[in-house]
Amino acid sequence: MSTAEHDTPDLDAIVVGAGFSGLYMLHRLRDTLGLRAEVIESADDVGGTWYWNRYPGARCDSESYFYSYSDRLDEDLLQEWTWSERFAAQPEILRYLQTVAERFDLRRDIRFSTTVTAATWDEGGTRWIVDTSDGRRSSARYLITAVGCLSTTNLPDFPGRDSFRGKSYHTGQWPHEGVDFTGQRVAVIGTGATAVQAVPEIAEQAAHTYVFQRTPNYDIAGGNRPMTEADAKEIKSNYRDIWARTRETGFGFPYDIADRPARSVSDEERREIFEEAWARGGFRLGTTFNDLLLDADANSTAAEFLREKIRGVVRDPETAEKLSPRDHPFFTKRPPLENGYYETFNKDNVTLVGVRETPIDSITEKGVVVDGVEYEVDSIVFATGFDAMTGTLFRLNLTGRDGVTLKAKWEAGPRSYLGLTTNGFPNLFMLTGPQSPSVMSNMVVSIEQHVDWVTDCLRWLREQGRDRIENTLAAEDGWISHHDEVGAMTLLDQANSWWVGANIPGKTRRIYPYMGGVGVYKGLCDDVAAKGYEGFETS
Ligand code: FAD
Ligand code: N01
């Protein structure tokens, strides 16, 4: 297809998505490399996750001072911006991303309210042809997906779902004007990280809240609090060290994982260590011992500690037991951070409904039916998560070399090199793609690492006078076997989580994120680059 056939002039790069990834990518392409780039975004503004997830209680669970762009973007912004809370709420994070967009004048190269509906590799033209919901067709040398790991909502197909006469909401597509539940009977379906944030807030307003739980989680104390001036001063004077640490640790947090197994200390000492981590709040509990995610026995010590915490808060023993996970190890499903979730179940107007043994039968005009009981409600909140990691990539309808679609190629699970590229799809880069650390990390650190790596790669291609890059099948096979080997060393496969694709009926069960850790992964990527992009063919 020749350039003349395109409605818009050719670009050097098209980026899909304007969240943390797409914004930083655009800045690098345009301002570092001087390329002509455009971002295409379904929403009418920037923000990604933080544009869509406006449900009550939405906030981050990586601490805000490191859940933000690092000195790689702008050292001055780090000093100018002050987070108001330890874990900022959605409006503040959205404001931050809007500020970044304004500061770097990014919006002028973002096409909003436009969805990429298909993208096809044109071998003759060495370009991607991109179709969008506005009927336009664009083309670019490079296609970079910044579509997010958690951006396609999962709305289970409960029989009768659409017959419900009240209002229903998915947390990932929350109305911008907010929802007032005052005086209402509300059903919340799901008990993942989203529900754990939303339920206390909804229960504050609603006349009665029914929480439908299929799998209880190990929720950790969030410990959110306002940031003090002293906090901000200390953080701002230590930023260099903080970022250096986030890039080297396993999860991209500036916390080190203690170099000791759980059974290397006495029961009393372990308890004290857990208590101290619990009191500090956040994911520190997961860093107390180095074998919690590797050894079932070690893991059971943390699991029992967390069950005890539930029993300590929830007064009704039957409800406490129902809320206590027993069918999977700690951290094999993403542990939510809780700020008042368990306490909510001490309220008379909150009911926990187990739907593990007796799944939701149907949704009727009036409410939710479980085990022959109809729970009549005015509103239903679907906190049922996402078709994570691959769901949004498949919706791009990517067709690579020789007419092969990504969906067909990945039928038995993702196949990538470094989680960044895939054979048969030249000049395609997937930011935080499956088989990279992505969701197993503080994501902004992983996003920056991917964006910087892609930037360096494009610069190198230009210096070499080349404009086509594709990873070899051998490199891909090697990466997948390393990825799977590392994943198999963990307990991750012992739970039915979205990390293994188990939340979506029919989805291929695999470990989707890379489990080798952020620091190790960065080293491997750097090594590939240092060896002249080993594992890639270029022309
Ligand atoms: P996203 O923010 O998901 O942005 C992707 C964008 O791509 C979206 O705006 C979407 O509209 C757009 N898009 C997708 N497909 C198309 C298409 N076909 N055409 C056009 N546009 C398209 N991670 C952490 O590390 N720490 C946290 O504390 C944390 N908290 C979270 C809280 C919530 C409620 C959720 C849902 C996720 C959280 N995450 C957290 C993960 C979070 O998704 C990432 O941290 C980060 O925001 C992802 O940024 P992104 O730019 O890669 O993707
Ligand atoms: O989604 P989830 P989420 N019948 O998939 C249940 C990030 N995040 O939106 O566990 C009945 O975790 C499902 O049950 P089960 C974070 O990475 C971060 O809560 O599959 N129930 C589960 O309880 C997180 O992990 C924050 O048995 C059904 C729930 O719905 C990710 O986003 C906040 C069902 C879905 O939980 C996703 O979290 C929010 C069915 N048919 C999100 N189908 C922070 O705090 C699904 N469920 C930063």
Side-chain angles (χ1 to χ4, degrees):
M1 185 177 289
S2 73
T3 310
E5 288 175 64
H6 304 141
D7 300 341
T8 55
D10 281 346
L11 293 157
D12 296 312
I14 288 177
V15 180
V16 192
F20 267 106
S21 304
L23 293 179
Y24 183 47
M25 191 74 246
L26 175 61
H27 172 62
R28 281 267 174 255
L29 290 169
R30 216 178 60 182
D31 300 339
T32 305
L33 297 177
L35 296 180
R36 288 168 309 132
E38 183 180 52
V39 174
I40 300 173
E41 167 58 60
S42 298
D44 64 10
D45 199 6
V46 300
T49 289
W50 304 102
Y51 172 94
W52 295 106
N53 289 265
R54 298 171 189 240
Y55 60 84
R59 59 179 69 250
C60 55
D61 63 2
S62 305
E63 294 186 54
S64 289
Y65 75 86
F66 58 83
Y67 184 66
S68 38
Y69 293 113
S70 75
D71 49 357
R72 304 280 314 176
L73 177 71
D74 186 350
E75 285 203 69
D76 293 341
L77 182 60
L78 287 174
Q79 297 304 321
E80 288 165 29
W81 187 271
T82 302
W83 293 102
S84 67
E85 293 179 276
R86 193 172 165 204
F87 300 95
Q90 173 271 330
E92 189 171 359
I93 307 174
L94 181 59
R95 214 160 45 243
Y96 169 77
L97 288 168
Q98 288 168 336
T99 303
V100 168
E102 274 145 36
R103 195 173 175 99
F104 296 99
D105 192 17
L106 297 176
R107 284 197 182 92
R108 78 180 145 89
D109 285 313
I110 305 178
R111 200 169 359 137
F112 289 111
S113 306
T114 308
T115 296
V116 171
T117 52
T120 307
W121 174 248
D122 168 27
E123 184 71 37
T126 323
R127 74 190 66 235
W128 280 94
I129 311 290
V130 176
D131 292 321
T132 43
S133 54
D134 54 2
R136 283 168 64 183
R137 172 165 278 199
S138 324
S139 70
R141 184 76 67 218
Y142 302 105
L143 178 64
I144 303 171
T145 63
V147 293
C149 299
L150 295 160
S151 50
T152 292
T153 51
N154 168 40
L155 193 57
D157 196 12
F158 298 114
R161 191 189 67 201
D162 299 332
S163 66
F164 181 60
R165 287 265 183 87
K167 291 266 168 73
S168 58
Y169 311 92
H170 191 289
T171 50
Q173 288 173 336
W174 203 258
H176 288 202
E177 63 280 13
V179 181
D180 183 1
F181 292 110
T182 306
Q184 292 193 20
R185 297 157 304 170
V186 182
V188 180
I189 302 179
T191 53
T194 294
V196 167
Q197 291 182 329
V199 163
E201 308 264 340
I202 293 171
E204 223 17 69
Q205 289 183 345
H208 202 103
T209 307
Y210 297 94
V211 180
F212 295 82
Q213 170 190 272
R214 188 164 65 181
T215 313
N217 271 307
Y218 296 97
D219 303 349
I220 306 177
N224 189 32
R225 60 170 171 75
M227 292 287 274
T228 63
E229 259 183 57
D231 292 332
K233 204 168 160 203
E234 197 196 329
I235 287 164
K236 289 182 185 192
S237 60
N238 280 315
Y239 254 133
R240 263 170 207 261
D241 179 47
I242 289 166
W243 296 127
R245 291 177 73 201
T246 58
R247 292 180 192 125
E248 295 309 325
T249 57
F251 294 109
F253 284 61
Y255 321 142
D256 294 317
I257 297 180
D259 190 18
R260 63 183 167 219
R263 293 288 184 194
S264 65
V265 298
S266 69
D267 290 354
E268 294 73 41
E269 268 178 275
R270 193 180 323 104
R271 194 180 175 81
E272 271 171 37
I273 290 166
F274 283 150
E275 284 291 358
E276 199 253 343
W278 178 265
R280 294 176 79 183
F283 287 122
R284 284 178 193 273
L285 196 89
T287 66
T288 46
F289 298 99
N290 62 9
D291 54 352
L292 294 180
L293 203 50
L294 305 176
D295 180 83
D297 175 54
N299 188 289
S300 69
T301 63
E304 184 45 33
F305 174 81
L306 288 161
R307 285 191 291 263
E308 261 180 49
K309 287 289 176 199
I310 298 170
R311 292 194 289 272
V313 176
V314 180
R315 285 198 289 272
D316 172 42
E318 208 179 302
T319 307
E321 183 51 32
K322 241 194 216 173
L323 286 164
S324 299
R326 299 209 178 258
D327 67 347
H328 63 279
F330 167 58
F331 229 118
T332 53
K333 283 170 90 81
R334 173 72 137 66
L337 294 196
E338 71 105 23
N339 291 287
Y341 177 72
Y342 288 129
E343 188 66 47
T344 306
F345 292 94
N346 290 331
K347 292 185 174 189
D348 292 337
N349 61 349
V350 177
T351 306
L352 182 66
V353 184
V355 297
R356 154 79 63 205
E357 280 79 30
T358 50
I360 292 172
D361 289 332
S362 62
I363 291 180
T364 63
E365 286 182 10
K366 292 185 188 159
V368 182
V369 181
V370 178
D371 202 15
V373 178
E374 184 176 50
Y375 295 86
E376 286 190 24
V377 291
D378 304 294
S379 294
I380 301 178
V381 174
F382 293 97
T384 42
F386 302 89
D387 184 356
M389 316 284 296
T390 51
T392 314
L393 285 172
F394 288 156
R395 284 182 172 208
L396 292 173
N397 293 311
L398 295 170
T399 305
R401 204 163 34 75
D402 306 323
V404 176
T405 63
L406 189 76
K407 219 170 174 180
K409 181 179 171 184
W410 286 11
E411 205 180 348
R415 291 191 47 84
S416 80
Y417 182 38
L418 302 169
L420 264 166
T421 60
T422 185
N423 177 267
F425 293 77
N427 290 8
L428 169 73
F429 297 94
M430 298 170 290
L431 304 180
T432 70
Q435 299 176 339
S436 76
S438 62
V439 292
M440 267 297 165
S441 68
N442 169 33
M443 286 202 71
V444 190
V445 171
S446 290
I447 286 167
E448 286 190 347
Q449 186 261 334
H450 265 188
V451 170
D452 290 343
W453 192 92
V454 171
T455 305
D456 290 345
C457 177
L458 298 186
R459 185 193 286 115
W460 179 83
L461 282 169
R462 185 164 63 188
E463 286 165 3
Q464 306 293 314
R466 299 177 187 190
D467 60 8
R468 186 186 186 288
I469 183 164
E470 180 180 353
N471 71 263
T472 64
L473 254 185
E476 190 165 299
D477 287 340
W479 180 252
I480 293 167
S481 80
H482 167 67
H483 172 275
D484 290 353
E485 193 184 328
V486 174
M489 289 164 67
T490 71
L491 302 173
L492 215 69
D493 197 33
Q494 294 192 16
N496 290 323
S497 74
W498 62 262
W499 282 335
V500 299
N503 64 327
I504 304 293
K507 188 163 174 171
T508 308
R509 188 177 177 111
R510 295 288 292 269
I511 293 179
Y512 283 73
Y514 176 63
M515 296 300 294
V518 166
V520 170
Y521 175 79
K522 179 177 181 301
L524 294 170
C525 290
D526 288 350
D527 200 41
V528 165
K531 290 178 176 157
Y533 294 87
E534 188 180 47
F536 288 97
E537 285 173 345
T538 59
S539 55

